[in-house]
Amino acid sequence: MTRAPATNAGGSGGGGTAGQTFQVEDDGTVALPVIGHVKVAGLTRPEAAKQIEELYRTNLLKDPIIELKIVNLKVTILGEIKGQGNYTLTKDRTTLVEMIGEAGGLTDKANEANVKIIRGDQKNPQVTEINLRDIQSINDPRAILQSGDVIYIAQNKRAVRNDKLQNLSVITQPVLLLLNTALIIFTLSHR
């Protein structure tokens, strides 16, 4: 399980932990009632649940059922996506394509060949570029999201050109209007 800031552990069999939230500490352990600190760093959710069930079975309960949920893992999606914002990672191994689908898909201006996943801290970010036009990108292990990832979808060149032309048009239209008005006044005054 990768370092997860918080985990829900639900137990049965009289353990009384149903629905409680337990924080995974910086050292990769979680402090659980009766059994104490359990190392979960590096384990998947099913592996951690199995390990915790075994510890409760050995130390306290006859047939424990442990369910682990990650409660605060999120990614941020920005750029040419229909639903920008923060999205929760609700399952292990969520892919970039799944998260784009959850956010409503790409806009018409999106550059599918230039999707960036930015991960790491602000001083040393790691940028991974994914080309969604390449069908192999669906299976790219770099496209499996991690908590804290920022996904940025750039504009395609056509959209950038159109925006520049539109900006130029916004500037030139008033100038042309003034020039036309001046020419009409000049023509009318010289008759």
Side-chain angles (χ1 to χ4, degrees), residues 95-96 128-131 135-144:
T95 66
L96 174 64
T128 302
E129 288 191 23
I130 304 292
N131 181 354
I135 193 72
Q136 295 303 318
S137 68
I138 293 172
N139 296 322
D140 189 337
R142 300 173 308 154
I144 295 173

Side-chain angles (χ1 to χ4, degrees), residues 17-185:
T17 61
Q20 290 186 4
T21 300
F22 302 98
Q23 183 86 16
V24 176
E25 304 298 332
D26 289 334
D27 64 357
T29 64
V30 61
L32 296 171
V34 181
I35 61 174
H37 287 271
V38 177
K39 186 160 184 70
V40 294
L43 301 175
T44 64
R45 277 190 288 185
E47 290 170 342
K50 185 176 180 182
Q51 178 179 337
I52 292 169
E53 281 179 3
E54 188 58 39
L55 288 169
Y56 272 112
R57 182 177 293 114
T58 305
N59 296 317
L60 183 67
L61 304 171
K62 182 178 178 191
D63 290 316
I65 298 172
I66 304 295
E67 179 184 314
L68 296 179
K69 293 180 184 176
I70 308 300
V71 294
N72 62 348
L73 300 182
K74 68 175 182 63
V75 297
T76 303
I77 304 178
L78 303 170
E80 295 302 321
I81 189 95
K82 291 181 181 171
Q84 293 188 44
N86 293 323
Y87 289 86
T88 303
L89 294 174
T90 56
K91 67 179 190 85
D92 289 334
R93 303 186 57 81
T94 301
T95 66
L96 174 64
V97 172
E98 290 171 322
M99 193 53 62
I100 288 172
E102 188 173 324
L106 302 175
T107 67
D108 295 339
K109 296 180 179 182
N111 183 354
E112 305 90 7
N114 187 11
V115 177
K116 292 183 171 104
I117 300 173
I118 304 161
R119 115 179 357 140
D121 59 14
Q122 292 178 352
K123 293 181 181 178
N124 188 24
Q126 298 171 331
V127 179
T128 302
E129 288 191 23
I130 304 292
N131 181 354
L132 293 177
R133 290 182 186 159
D134 179 8
I135 193 72
Q136 295 303 318
S137 68
I138 293 172
N139 296 322
D140 189 337
R142 300 173 308 154
I144 295 173
L145 301 176
Q146 298 176 12
S147 182
D149 284 355
V150 176
I151 301 162
Y152 177 73
I153 296 109
Q155 275 189 341
N156 60 39
K157 290 178 183 174
R158 184 179 69 255
V160 171
R161 270 194 311 273
N162 288 345
D163 283 350
K164 286 181 181 177
L165 284 173
Q166 190 173 11
N167 289 341
L168 182 62
S169 174
V170 166
I171 293 169
T172 58
Q173 282 180 353
V175 172
L176 289 174
L177 182 62
L178 285 172
L179 186 59
N180 283 340
T181 305
L183 285 173
I184 290 171
I185 292 171

